[in-house]
Amino acid sequence: MNKQQSSGLIIAILSVVAGLLVGGVVMLVFGYSPIQNYSNLFNGAFGDIYSVGETLRNATPLILTALGFSIASKAGFFNIGGSGQLLVGWFGAIVFALHFKNLSGILLILGAILAGMLLGGFWSWLAGFLRAYFGTSEVITTIMLNYIALYFVNFAIKRWLAPKGSDSSANIVPKASLRTPFLEQITNHSTFHWGFFIALVLVIVMWWYLKRSKTGFEIKAVGLNEQAARYAGMNTKQAIMWAMLLSGLLAGLARAVDGLGNY
């Protein structure tokens, strides 16, 4: 571990400790016991195998969303459109699962995940395109796209997916679910599902991509100095759009696996 990595790890640890200390002070001010409440927090997350399963299931979309955010961040962009990308990714996965339910289980799951990823990626790519060709702030465009996604998905569910008089779609068929009896049994019937392992694989893949691939190097180069990267002959516009596309693909995947595995 080099000096920069060590410094980053120390800062992260100190941030967590500072947050716990501030939270403890606030609890004391209002007459609550920090020790008791932090103990309850820990037991609720890791107190038994069921709690561990639920914690890991809840962590899955957070891992993938954070991974997507980090890709955009490496390119020097602040992608805060994760909520919109998550929503359209979830929508795409469920629509595919509902409309192609006659496919075999593995094809149905893969198709639904791919549909969610592509929609999430497209939603993020739009902001990348505007940033690359028009210099539009990705902060503004991703915020706007969040609201467009929210209202569009609400409209689409009520207009096209929900039975008359209902506000929700039908449930997906069991073979489209990422939950399995095996994982449920070993975690005492929690909602833990295969999406967690997909997230772990993607963490490794993205680490390799940024460290070893040509386009990964270009993404980091643009993030460090866009003008220098352009002077070196790199296609900065393509790198910008590709970074935002990857960011959205991972966000879309985050909610796709959550939708198929939990809801």
Side-chain angles (χ1 to χ4, degrees):
M1 184 179 293
N2 58 38
K3 185 176 180 180
Q4 184 178 7
Q5 290 173 328
S6 299
S7 177
L9 179 60
I10 291 170
I11 291 172
I13 292 173
L14 290 176
S15 298
V16 173
V17 172
L20 291 173
L21 288 174
V22 172
V25 171
V26 172
M27 282 186 271
L28 282 173
V29 169
F30 286 94
Y32 297 98
S33 169
I35 295 176
Q36 182 63 53
N37 281 284
Y38 282 139
S39 176
N40 293 340
L41 178 68
F42 183 84
N43 287 330
F46 305 107
D48 53 36
I49 191 62
Y50 173 84
S51 299
V52 171
E54 290 296 316
T55 298
L56 294 179
R57 192 271 301 168
N58 278 290
T60 300
L62 298 177
I63 292 170
L64 290 167
T65 307
L67 192 60
F69 181 87
S70 70
I71 298 295
S73 180
K74 284 289 185 183
F77 308 121
F78 199 63
N79 178 13
I80 55 174
S83 59
Q85 294 148 28
L86 285 165
L87 195 55
V88 297
W90 191 355
F91 177 72
I94 298 305
V95 167
F96 187 96
L98 289 174
H99 284 81
F100 296 94
K101 57 186 177 182
N102 293 325
L103 291 174
S104 64
I106 186 66
L107 289 178
L108 185 58
I109 289 173
L110 290 176
I113 288 175
L114 182 60
M117 290 179 67
L118 290 176
L119 269 181
F122 172 72
W123 215 249
S124 182
W125 175 87
L126 288 172
F129 173 79
L130 294 171
R131 171 68 171 78
Y133 283 95
F134 300 101
T136 309
S137 169
E138 72 278 3
V139 174
I140 301 300
T141 53
T142 50
I143 289 174
M144 294 172 71
L145 285 167
N146 283 343
Y147 284 98
I148 295 171
L150 173 64
Y151 290 112
F152 169 75
V153 170
N154 280 338
F155 167 81
I157 290 172
K158 293 179 180 180
R159 182 67 179 268
W160 299 318
L161 298 183
K164 189 174 181 179
S166 174
D167 287 331
S168 61
S169 72
N171 290 332
I172 60 173
V173 293
K175 64 181 178 180
S177 175
L178 288 171
R179 292 171 66 177
T180 64
F182 169 70
L183 292 178
E184 289 181 357
Q185 288 169 9
I186 65 173
T187 57
N188 196 20
H189 304 290
S190 77
T191 55
F192 183 54
H193 56 77
W194 289 112
F196 176 75
F197 301 101
I198 295 174
L200 292 185
V201 170
L202 263 295
V203 168
I204 297 171
V205 170
M206 287 296 104
W207 173 84
W208 179 90
Y209 175 79
L210 289 174
K211 288 286 186 181
R212 305 298 180 190
S213 71
K214 175 177 177 289
T215 51
F217 174 78
E218 290 178 347
I219 286 174
K220 291 191 292 184
V222 169
L224 291 171
N225 192 316
E226 185 177 341
Q227 290 183 341
R230 188 182 300 110
Y231 182 77
M234 298 179 188
N235 189 334
T236 56
K237 287 184 173 62
Q238 180 177 302
I240 290 169
M241 291 187 293
W242 182 242
M244 290 297 286
L245 175 66
L246 281 177
S247 184
L249 286 171
L250 290 165
L253 173 64
R255 192 54 81 182
V257 297
D258 201 33
L260 297 175
N262 185 47
Y263 295 97

